[in-house]
Amino acid sequence: MFDIVKASITGSIIGNMLLVLGLSVLLGGLKFKEQTFNVKLAGQNGSLMLLAVIALFIPAAFARSFTTQETSNLSVIVSVILIIAYLLWLVFSMITHKNELSDEVVEHGEAAWSKGLSIIFLIIATTMVAFQSEWLVHTLEPFSRQYGLSELFVGAFLIAIVGNAAEHSAAIIMARKNKMGAAVEIAVGSSLQIALFVAPVLVLLSLLFGKTMDLVFTTYEIIAIGVAAFIVAKSISKDGATTWFEGVLLLVVYVILGIAFFLV
């Protein structure tokens, strides 16, 4: 179900950047007049999102001139490059330039759980998510048919909202604690992880099942990701500070995209 997969990838990217970040900025801004974060990190995130948009645009732009096999080959090559770029970004942000990209104030509290207990709960949660995903896939087609919804809308908005639940709560909690840097990193960082790592990994994994998933997204999906990256870069990442009204702007764009996807 490659179309559903790509739609959910699109929805996760724009959902994190517009819905998750928008709610975080809005609710945090209602409590604090202005919230700040590391502008250097925000700028790097903006550049990486631009890379993601370019990487998704190129396969779609050349798809009509390529055979199916050539498109698959290009998708695999681009996927490998994106994974390498993402891994280098982790080295850059967490090792070589860790201090430059971190927030000025770092607070360390006592851990509520031990390391071993945390790993156990992580394994349990992952197993439960795997079962839920299996059940969800089997209900998609009858659900879409019963309510007359397109696979594009279901994948890009309904599945994405459910899938981003963890980011929703964590980012909003951080914003309400005046830790906007952490909230921005959760929202934008999750979008980057999906665009630069998860999507390419899915392409490579599909090689094991006989039919390769390509990176040819629809025009609607590319436009949605591009618009989301543009508004986040212009309204959020430019000055390292946020107000509640900037959260409103992000949510307005998300609602407009949702209506457009629903009507497709």
Side-chain angles (χ1 to χ4, degrees), residues 137-218:
V137 168
H138 288 297
T139 61
L140 282 179
E141 187 174 343
F143 176 83
S144 301
R145 185 170 56 252
Q146 180 178 351
Y147 292 98
L149 300 175
S150 67
E151 290 186 347
L152 181 62
F153 177 78
V154 172
F157 283 84
L158 298 186
I159 294 179
I161 289 175
V162 175
N164 292 339
E167 286 87 347
H168 289 181
S169 57
I172 290 173
I173 289 173
M174 289 298 179
R176 294 290 291 177
K177 292 182 177 180
N178 201 24
K179 297 180 179 180
M180 184 51 66
V184 171
E185 189 58 21
I186 289 171
V188 179
S190 295
S191 295
L192 291 175
Q193 185 183 68
I194 293 166
L196 302 180
F197 185 75
V198 175
V201 165
L202 291 176
V203 171
L204 298 182
L205 286 177
S206 68
L207 294 173
L208 302 176
F209 301 101
K211 185 179 180 181
T212 306
M213 185 184 91
D214 57 49
L215 286 178
V216 179
F217 285 69
T218 67

Side-chain angles (χ1 to χ4, degrees), residues 108-120:
H108 298 283
E110 292 294 328
W113 294 346
S114 66
K115 182 178 180 180
L117 183 61
S118 300
I119 293 175
I120 291 174

